[in-house]
Amino acid sequence: METHRQRGRKRKNEFNKHVSVNIKRIQIMSTSETNKAAIAQNRKTIFEIEAQVMANKALVYQSRSMIEENRLMIMSNYSAAFMGNRQLANANTDEIFSNRAAILQGMDADGDVQENYVNAQTNKSALDFLRHRSSLNASVLEISEKMAAINAQMVEINREIMNANKSIVDFNGAQIAANADMISGSLSSSAATTDSNAAMIAGNSSAMAELSGNVSSNKSTIDGLLSTSASNAAALMKNKSEINERREAIMENRAGIAANKAKIG
């Protein structure tokens, strides 16, 4: 039979246990409330970061659109300058020297001195043409070397695009696996604790800080690309205008060539 002292000690132990449980419950509630507040703050920050990331995404595609537009204009200018104006100008050169040959052949030479003059002028004309052609060959080769180097860069750019696509595929694969784990119950809220939640919240906060820095860096890069693309577009438009002016000069040359040919013979 319990004594009065034993019953008192038992009631005291039960009371202390009850208080301890309540204190622990209060501590858990307090930590859970702290976690809840941190989660709400993180969600607000994530919303702000999302707005910045999506704004950057739009600017990235605007930048890529301008770059592609410039690239197409470059190719258009290249075709107009090399396949168009250059071929017209070369045709003019051929006709000029064809006229020169006709002029020299039609010259009357009286005696060895005058005949030697005509023949020397014929050789000089050939040398002038060949020196000009050789210089053009060197120019074409120099440009071709630069284009080959650019093509090598484009090959590397393609490889980087392929690697970026692979990172997307890998990321999607990891997220599909995470969804599968949630569906199967491997990742369940029933296994969560206050401490594990706090750790996840802290990890999210750290990720947000890193992400914010990345977003800011991307924005700075985008601004630079947009500025460069705008400058390139202005330069390309100037090039196009010069190509058109050069074509007009080439056609004026043709008029002079035709006038000279009409006087020959």
Side-chain angles (χ1 to χ4, degrees):
M1 190 174 201
E2 288 182 331
T3 64
H4 179 70
R5 179 176 295 179
Q6 287 174 330
R7 284 196 299 272
R9 187 180 297 112
K10 185 177 180 181
R11 284 196 297 270
K12 183 178 180 181
N13 289 339
E14 290 176 352
F15 176 78
N16 289 339
K17 183 178 179 181
H18 178 72
V19 169
S20 177
V21 169
N22 284 341
I23 290 173
K24 186 175 182 180
R25 186 177 300 163
I26 291 171
Q27 289 174 338
I28 292 173
M29 289 177 63
S30 175
T31 305
S32 293
E33 289 301 319
T34 301
N35 285 348
K36 184 178 293 186
I39 290 169
Q41 181 59 46
N42 282 359
R43 188 167 296 161
K44 179 181 178 181
T45 303
I46 289 170
F47 180 81
E48 294 170 353
I49 293 175
E50 181 183 13
Q52 294 172 354
V53 169
M54 292 300 105
N56 279 358
K57 179 183 177 182
L59 291 174
V60 165
Y61 283 112
Q62 178 189 352
S63 172
R64 177 60 64 83
S65 177
M66 293 176 68
I67 290 170
E68 286 294 324
E69 183 179 355
N70 286 348
R71 185 178 66 84
L72 292 175
M73 196 182 304
I74 287 169
M75 295 307 299
S76 174
N77 285 354
Y78 168 81
S79 179
F82 189 79
M83 302 304 296
N85 286 1
R86 187 181 185 86
Q87 300 310 313
L88 285 172
N90 281 335
N92 283 354
T93 302
D94 291 340
E95 289 198 43
I96 289 168
F97 281 89
S98 175
N99 285 354
R100 177 81 55 80
I103 293 168
L104 291 171
Q105 287 174 3
M107 278 188 177
D108 292 329
D110 186 8
D112 289 343
V113 173
Q114 291 185 12
E115 186 176 341
N116 286 344
Y117 171 80
V118 171
N119 289 336
Q121 280 288 355
T122 300
N123 287 346
K124 180 179 181 301
S125 177
L127 288 172
D128 287 344
F129 174 80
L130 292 174
R131 184 166 53 248
H132 169 73
R133 184 65 259 174
S134 182
S135 176
L136 287 179
N137 288 347
S139 174
V140 171
L141 284 172
E142 184 178 351
I143 293 170
S144 294
E145 286 179 340
K146 291 179 180 179
M147 292 180 68
I150 290 171
N151 285 346
Q153 289 181 328
M154 293 301 295
V155 170
E156 183 58 31
I157 287 172
N158 285 344
R159 186 174 290 109
E160 290 178 8
I161 292 171
M162 292 165 61
N163 289 339
N165 290 345
K166 181 180 182 300
S167 73
I168 296 172
V169 173
D170 292 344
F171 175 81
N172 288 345
Q175 301 313 307
I176 290 169
N179 286 350
D181 288 341
M182 290 180 182
I183 293 170
S184 67
S186 299
L187 291 176
S188 174
S189 60
S190 61
T193 65
T194 303
D195 290 341
S196 66
N197 286 346
M200 189 186 303
I201 292 166
N204 289 344
S205 297
S206 176
M208 285 188 298
E210 181 179 354
L211 181 56
S212 292
N214 180 260
V215 170
S216 178
S217 176
N218 284 348
K219 180 61 167 60
S220 178
T221 302
I222 291 168
D223 289 342
L225 279 174
L226 290 173
S227 177
T228 300
S229 295
S231 297
N232 287 344
L236 287 167
M237 291 302 297
K238 183 179 179 182
N239 284 352
K240 184 175 287 292
S241 178
E242 291 178 1
I243 289 169
N244 292 334
E245 292 172 2
R246 190 85 69 249
R247 186 178 297 115
E248 292 176 1
I250 290 170
M251 298 313 294
E252 289 176 4
N253 283 348
R254 287 199 65 80
I257 293 167
N260 283 343
K261 179 170 286 190
K263 297 175 183 177
I264 297 173

